[in-house]
Amino acid sequence: MHNYFVSLLIELLRERGIQSPELFKETGLTVESIGATSGLPAELLDRVFSRAIELADDPQLGVILGSRINIVSQGIFGYALMSSATSHDSIKLLIRYSRALVPSLRLSFDILGGRASIRAEGENIPSFLAQFYIELVFSAIVFNGHLLLADAGVNAVGLNLDYRPEGDVSIWYKTFGSDVNFNESNCSLYFDEAALNVPITTANPIAGDIFRRECDRLILRSKFGGSVHERVQQCLLR
């Protein structure tokens, strides 16, 4: 999973003239080693993204990177989301497996007064890194709205941040719509509860159960490597 995120990060930094050896300085990582494994320890992943934030010197980095993430491409996890019955089911999976995707970020979900909210907060990491992860994840959720937000679009979601980003904030309105609020009591992405019940066109209960069990097995064993397609084939042919 993480090799996909880091690969996108490398591509984004390269567009800005920053090469991978600079990103991996003092981490022991290389492009080749990243490609050979899907999962990285939380501490190492945090170091890589902290270094990227330092090199890019761009407060919009998290939002930009998140808008390039295709959650469906995340192997077994992506297949599990695609096979979910409704947006509510896919969001519950996102919350359930969020630590495998971004270990240092805690996601929670609640419904109150007809509004559904996904909340995010960093755990034991500097505020600048927590903000980066929050922006990355929320941007990715909106970008993958066909699975997670019932294709609601940016005009149907709202965003609260418990800080005000540095510099020009227009990208936040472009990404999340007009209902963006800074210096709130929490960081949350919210939308109408009714969107939760919209069916997902790729729903497949039987395949979904297989994919979810495989996700549980991989997370339990802390293994994220291997060929996704081979794993899917093996599971479906049992």
Side-chain angles (χ1 to χ4, degrees), residues 99-113:
R99 288 303 185 93
L101 299 171
V102 186
S104 297
L105 191 70
R106 182 170 73 238
L107 296 184
S108 60
F109 177 69
D110 61 51
I111 304 172
L112 183 64

Side-chain angles (χ1 to χ4, degrees), residues 153-220:
V154 297
N155 293 323
V157 303
L159 174 71
N160 285 340
L161 295 177
D162 63 3
Y163 59 93
R164 183 179 180 85
E166 297 179 9
D168 183 9
V169 297
S170 61
I171 190 173
W172 274 262
Y173 293 102
K174 180 179 179 181
T175 303
F176 299 102
S178 59
D179 190 6
V180 175
N181 310 287
F182 303 122
N183 297 320
E184 296 292 323
S185 60
N186 60 66
C187 294
S188 59
L189 187 70
Y190 54 87
F191 48 94
D192 195 323
E193 179 185 359
L196 296 173
N197 299 318
V198 175
I200 293 177
T201 57
T202 53
N204 187 324
I206 296 176
D209 181 61
I210 293 173
F211 296 142
R212 284 188 293 274
R213 284 190 281 114
E214 179 69 354
C215 283
D216 287 339
R217 186 183 71 82
L218 291 172
I219 290 173
L220 182 64

Side-chain angles (χ1 to χ4, degrees), residues 81-91 145-153 156 191-203:
L81 287 180
M82 287 178 64
S83 59
S84 297
T86 65
S87 290
H88 194 183
D89 293 322
S90 66
I91 288 174
H146 62 296
L147 290 178
L148 298 169
L149 301 176
D151 258 338
F191 48 94
D192 195 323
E193 179 185 359
L196 296 173
N197 299 318
V198 175
I200 293 177
T201 57
T202 53

Side-chain angles (χ1 to χ4, degrees), residues 49-51 53-54 125-133:
F49 282 114
S50 294
R51 177 68 172 161
I53 294 168
E54 177 186 359
I125 54 176
S127 59
F128 76 88
L129 184 58
Q131 291 172 13
F132 169 84
Y133 282 145

Side-chain angles (χ1 to χ4, degrees), residues 25-81:
K25 185 179 179 180
E26 298 180 358
T27 64
L29 295 172
T30 63
V31 172
E32 291 73 21
S33 65
I34 287 291
T37 179
S38 294
L40 292 175
E43 181 181 359
L44 188 54
L45 193 67
D46 290 345
R47 287 175 61 190
V48 169
F49 282 114
S50 294
R51 177 68 172 161
I53 294 168
E54 177 186 359
L55 291 170
D57 191 25
D58 181 358
Q60 301 177 355
L61 186 66
V63 176
I64 296 171
L65 184 60
S67 67
R68 298 189 179 195
I69 291 174
N70 181 1
I71 293 180
V72 174
S73 70
Q74 296 308 292
I76 292 289
F77 175 66
Y79 285 110
L81 287 180

